[in-house]
């Protein structure tokens, strides 16, 4: 009887052990299929109440869309999650400098999104000590062309982008003579001065390719430039470069119209683009035959890979921004950020990311055009400059028969010397 009781207890104990073991194995296998995630913070500098408040929702909305997509489709598999918090800097140097210590303390971010010049001015000397890299959405400037950067541009300088267009346009024109260029600029901003200095130096070093017939210094918001533009026409100008603002584009276009010289095109950049300038002048048709050139995708209706990626963010990740230049600026900086973090996580592991690791990865690991869905060309950063200096391309947009369209893509950027 005793023997029978002891014997009958053993199967119960055995079954209990088996159930416990099965449960433990089940948990083990479940854990193996679900990658634990480490969350890292990104600080987003923005301008919701300053001079660029009207475009900021598109910039920040599109960069958030990229992070949401990456978290869902890439980061989850790597064991990394990213969170953004935006700070309103009002596009003001003092406000950026004031907000940054608190943002750094609150978030301990591994990367910062910058918007423009005030961010670089306020933080360029601080970020190397704080060990946090910053990614900008705009083109760069010659005065920021320094080695060992912590502030990075996905696009090269404005003169890099402009010289690429000038060589493209010279070939389109045909002939061996130098292209005659007129520049509308201003001395009101160091950034404006930097652009025309870069162009003047390139023309001086390449006289067979480019001749700057004159650089005109206009007011920041000019209303009538007819006398100045007439002077350019008399000097045989073939194209006019304006990388300042839409007011300068409108005044120059009106001057060309009044002179009956609308066959002389204006080349502008992303921030004073064909769409923006067309809106300011009273309609896109007014910009017929003019051009824009910059180192990221052109936001036309054409069925490009970049547009397809945007539409995915819109349809699946609830991005409400329009497909426009501000959105592409947000896309470009966010793609550089997440792809760099992705490369860093693969190199050191998902739990060991720091700002210093992210920066080192950025200057050692290229980001291909395929990885950016054609929003950017292949980018190869280095310690030499805050932007890639070789292997870059620009895309060129135009208005043809009243339609905003792509004139050319992947146009090579010449090698420029510092100015």
């Amino acid at each position: 009887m005793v023997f029978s009781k002891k014997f009958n207890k053993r199967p119960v104990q055995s079954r209990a052990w088996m159930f416990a073991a099965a449960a433990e194995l089940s948990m083990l296998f479940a854990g193996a299929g679900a990658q634990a995630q480490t969350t890292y913070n990104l600080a987003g500098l923005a301008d919701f109440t300053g001079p660029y408040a009207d475009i900021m929702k598109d910039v920040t909305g599109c960069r958030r869309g990229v992070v949401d997509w990456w978290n869902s489709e890439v980061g989850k598999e790597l064991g990394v999650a990213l969170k953004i918090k935006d700070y309103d800097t009002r596009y003001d140097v003092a406000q950026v400098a004031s907000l940054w210590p608190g943002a750094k303390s609150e978030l301990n971010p591994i990367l910062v999104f910058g918007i423009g010049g005030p961010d670089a001015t306020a933080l360029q000397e601080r970020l190397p000590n704080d060990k946090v890299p910053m990614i900008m959405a705009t083109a760069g400037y010659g005065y920021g062309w320094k080695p060992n950067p912590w502030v990075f541009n996905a696009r090269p300088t404005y003169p890099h982008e402009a010289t690429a267009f000038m060589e493209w346009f010279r070939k389109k024109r045909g002939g061996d003579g130098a292209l005659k260029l007129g520049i509308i600029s201003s001395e009101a901003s160091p950034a404006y001065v930097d652009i025309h200095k870069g162009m003047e130096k390139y023309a001086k070093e390449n006289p067979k390719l480019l001749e700057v017939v004159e650089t005109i210094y206009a007011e920041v918001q000019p209303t009538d430039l007819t006398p100045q533009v007439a002077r350019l026409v008399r000097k045989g100008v073939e194209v006019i470069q304006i990388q300042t603002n839409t007011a300068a584009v409108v005044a120059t276009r009106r001057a060309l119209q009044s002179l009956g010289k609308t066959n002389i095109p204006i080349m502008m950049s992303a921030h004073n683009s064909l769409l923006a300038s067309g809106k300011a002048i009273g309609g896109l048709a007014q910009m017929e035959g003019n051009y824009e050139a910059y180192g990221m995708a052109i936001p036309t209706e054409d069925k490009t890979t970049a547009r397809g990626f945007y539409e995915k963010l819109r349809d699946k990740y609830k991005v409400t921004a329009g497909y426009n230049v501000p959105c592409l600026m947000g896309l470009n900086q966010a793609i550089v950020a997440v792809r760099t973090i992705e490369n860093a996580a693969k190199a050191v592991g998902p739990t060991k990311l720091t700002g210093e690791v992210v920066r080192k990865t950025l200057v050692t690991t290229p980001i291909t055009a395929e990885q950016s869905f054609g929003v950017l060309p292949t980018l190869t950063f280095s310690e030499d400059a805050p932007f890639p200096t070789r292997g870059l391309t620009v895309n060129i947009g135009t208005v043809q028969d009243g339609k905003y369209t792509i004139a050319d893509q992947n146009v090579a950027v010449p090698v420029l010397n510092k100015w």
Side-chain angles (χ1 to χ4, degrees):
M1 187 74 172
V2 174
F3 173 81
S4 176
K5 288 182 179 180
K6 286 184 178 180
F7 181 83
N8 289 336
K9 285 182 180 179
R10 293 183 68 182
V12 175
Q13 292 170 342
S14 177
R15 286 196 298 272
W17 177 87
M18 289 172 63
F19 287 135
E24 189 173 343
L25 285 170
S26 176
M27 293 175 64
L28 180 64
F29 285 122
Q35 174 79 294
Q37 287 191 302
T38 304
T39 300
Y40 296 95
N41 291 323
L42 311 176
L45 304 185
D47 173 19
F48 296 117
T49 54
Y52 294 102
D54 57 329
I55 67 167
M56 200 51 49
K57 285 187 178 180
D58 285 354
V59 176
T60 58
C62 285
R63 72 188 185 192
R64 281 180 176 273
V66 171
V67 173
D68 289 343
W69 157 78
W70 188 89
N71 279 339
S72 176
E73 301 190 21
V74 181
K76 187 178 293 184
E77 293 297 320
L78 290 174
V80 174
L82 302 175
K83 291 178 64 177
I84 307 177
K85 180 173 181 178
D86 290 326
Y87 295 84
D88 184 9
T89 69
R90 303 196 297 270
Y91 207 73
D92 180 80
V93 174
Q95 184 72 357
V96 177
S98 174
L99 285 173
W100 172 244
K104 181 179 180 298
S105 176
E106 178 186 5
L107 301 181
N108 188 27
I110 60 170
L111 184 139
V112 187
F113 290 125
I115 290 297
D119 308 327
T121 301
L123 301 183
Q124 192 155 8
E125 301 302 320
R126 297 192 60 158
L127 294 177
N129 293 325
D130 293 337
K131 305 298 183 188
V132 184
M134 181 160 69
I135 308 294
M136 307 294 288
T138 59
Y141 297 100
Y143 54 73
W145 191 339
K146 299 176 182 178
N148 307 313
W150 282 78
V151 177
F152 295 90
N153 298 82
R155 293 160 52 193
T157 69
Y158 290 99
H160 278 91
E161 295 181 338
T163 53
F165 170 83
M166 298 307 163
E167 184 55 15
W168 175 86
F169 190 77
R170 190 181 78 88
K171 291 177 181 176
K172 181 175 181 290
R173 178 209 65 182
D176 297 326
L179 181 68
K180 292 188 175 182
L181 170 66
I183 301 174
I184 305 294
S185 186
S186 172
E187 293 182 299
S189 164
Y192 295 165
V193 173
D194 180 82
I195 293 170
H196 68 247
K197 280 187 174 180
M199 296 303 295
E200 288 167 352
K201 181 170 183 181
Y202 179 80
K204 185 177 181 180
E205 294 176 346
N206 299 273
K208 293 182 179 181
L209 301 178
L210 189 66
E211 176 191 351
V212 178
V213 299
E214 185 181 353
T215 296
I216 291 172
Y217 303 106
E219 298 175 0
V220 178
Q221 298 286 325
T223 54
D224 182 18
L225 292 174
T226 304
Q228 296 93 325
V229 173
R231 192 163 67 242
L232 292 178
V233 171
R234 288 194 298 270
K235 292 181 178 181
V237 70
E238 296 175 270
V239 61
I240 298 173
Q241 173 186 337
I242 305 175
Q243 292 178 304
T244 54
N245 54 43
T246 56
V249 173
V250 170
T252 301
R253 183 63 174 173
R254 291 296 190 208
L256 289 168
Q257 289 172 337
S258 67
L259 294 166
K261 295 293 183 179
T262 54
N263 61 315
I264 298 174
I266 301 169
M267 187 230 81
M268 58 211 76
S269 189
H271 59 276
N272 61 340
S273 62
L274 290 164
L275 291 178
S277 296
K279 184 178 180 181
I281 202 173
L284 190 61
Q286 298 287 327
M287 301 305 296
E288 181 77 21
N290 292 286
Y291 296 94
E292 62 186 16
Y294 39 82
M296 61 182 185
I298 304 287
T300 66
E301 295 293 327
D302 297 278
K303 297 298 182 182
T304 61
T305 307
R307 184 175 183 86
F309 178 59
Y310 157 79
E311 290 175 352
K312 179 176 184 175
L313 298 184
R314 181 195 64 196
D315 298 341
K316 189 174 180 180
Y317 294 97
K318 301 180 181 179
V319 168
T320 58
Y323 187 57
N324 51 33
V325 166
C327 173
L328 278 162
M329 292 171 70
L331 292 182
N332 91 49
Q333 66 179 164
I335 286 171
V336 170
V338 299
R339 289 305 196 189
T340 301
I341 291 168
E342 177 182 335
N343 291 334
K346 289 177 180 177
V348 304
T351 64
K352 298 179 180 179
L353 297 182
T354 64
E356 197 163 11
V357 167
V358 171
R359 181 196 174 278
K360 182 179 179 182
T361 303
L362 183 59
V363 297
T364 56
T365 308
I367 300 168
T368 68
E370 290 75 18
Q371 286 179 303
S372 75
F373 305 99
V375 171
L376 294 163
T378 294
L379 304 177
T380 304
F381 289 91
S382 71
E383 296 285 7
D384 298 333
F387 46 82
T389 55
R390 296 178 182 273
L392 286 172
T393 62
V394 301
N395 298 314
I396 299 172
T398 190
V399 177
Q400 185 175 2
D401 299 326
K403 183 182 178 182
Y404 180 44
T405 189
I406 297 171
D408 208 346
Q409 299 181 84
N410 303 315
V411 176
V413 173
V415 176
L416 272 65
N417 295 318
K418 289 185 181 181
W419 54 90

